[in-house]
Amino acid sequence: MMGYSHSVSAAAAWLALNEAGVLGIDDPATLAVTTLTAAGAGMLPDLDHPKGTIANSIPPVSRWLARLVAHISGGHRKGTHSLLGLAVFWALTYFADRLTYAGLPVAAIGLAAFSGGLALRIFQAPGGWLGAILVGLGAMTTGALPLLPWAVLAGAAVHLLGDFLTTRGINLFWPLTFKPLVASRFWRKSGYMAFPILGDAGSGREGFLTSALTLYLACYLLAFVGILPLFPTQFFASLI
Ligand SMILES: [Zn+2]
């Protein structure tokens, strides 16, 4: 999947969790900060690709970080695209909240600003660095902080799901590799597994799915602020 598709699907999943009542966020500012963090986290697993979009997001810092992550995680679509990687992303955000300076959880705020700023960049929002700073300030002043580890986990998990639906697939159990007795496009000799209904990354099918999810995002947000009378699920339920 491409960066934009990853971010849109991560944001849509986060809003769908809220619509299903799992998150229970009813404050617009908290929803905005956590959704942007989830959307940015939707790209985090590709930080293992020194030439990827995320590596070029804030040069040269992001490129150094990408090189380091690629080194630690074994290369592209390995450690960061596994269950172990998801656990590490969650734990880093969870413990970031406990790292304080002058009473402020600076690491968690920085992480929200980085992730949210990345999402704003991929959504081509104007404002550049100002957007990232606003997300950081938002993390500080809303109820977003305790939700950040879950926003990052949701974003990264949806990234893995997106890559699983493309031809190359992922190895969810890295560093372990389970090889099939009979190789197929669902489970390859390399141990990578896929359910490639989207075809290659950047396909027309991926574009269609991303457009549908963008529409869901827009409708949800308009309903949340009261411009649309019904949330997307309520709308479809009313048709049945
Ligand atoms: Zn990926």
Side-chain angles (χ1 to χ4, degrees):
M1 261 191 167
M2 313 305 280
Y4 180 77
S5 307
H6 280 305
S7 282
V8 166
S9 50
W14 185 250
L15 294 183
L17 284 174
N18 203 39
E19 192 177 4
V22 178
L23 303 172
I25 305 170
D26 48 20
D27 162 45
T30 304
L31 188 72
V33 172
T34 51
T35 305
L36 284 170
T37 304
M43 293 182 60
L44 278 186
D46 281 347
L47 199 52
D48 63 0
H49 196 318
K51 291 201 175 81
T53 319
I54 186 165
N56 289 313
S57 58
I58 315 167
V61 185
S62 51
R63 216 169 291 147
W64 297 335
L65 192 63
R67 236 173 261 155
L68 179 73
V69 172
H71 186 69
I72 297 171
S73 67
H76 188 42
R77 285 206 189 195
K78 289 188 171 157
T80 60
H81 288 64
S82 68
L83 289 173
L84 179 66
L86 289 184
V88 170
F89 282 129
W90 180 86
L92 282 176
T93 326
Y94 183 80
F95 289 108
D97 196 21
R98 274 138 195 83
L99 211 69
T100 55
Y101 178 76
L104 277 180
V106 277
I109 293 167
L111 202 129
F114 175 73
S115 192
L118 195 68
L120 288 171
R121 204 179 168 114
I122 210 99
F123 294 149
Q124 295 188 336
W129 282 93
L130 190 64
I133 292 167
L134 284 177
V135 177
L137 283 174
M140 237 164 81
T141 51
T142 64
L145 280 180
L147 289 164
L148 289 185
W150 305 107
V152 167
L153 179 67
V158 171
H159 180 112
L160 266 52
L161 178 66
D163 281 350
F164 177 69
L165 298 178
T166 61
T167 315
R168 283 186 63 191
I170 53 170
N171 178 11
L172 201 58
F173 304 102
W174 187 93
L176 303 174
T177 302
F178 298 105
K179 297 192 174 176
L181 288 175
V182 182
S184 67
R185 63 200 184 102
F186 299 106
W187 191 3
R188 271 180 283 131
K189 234 182 352 196
S190 58
Y192 275 58
M193 295 171 198
F195 189 69
I197 45 170
L198 295 179
D200 291 337
S203 69
R205 274 171 278 171
E206 180 184 319
F208 177 77
L209 176 69
T210 305
S211 304
L213 292 173
T214 306
L215 187 66
Y216 170 77
L217 274 180
C219 292
Y220 183 92
L221 293 174
L222 289 175
F224 195 84
V225 294
I227 295 174
L228 284 181
L230 293 175
F231 282 99
T233 328
Q234 288 172 330
F235 172 72
F236 284 112
S238 71
L239 294 178
I240 300 166

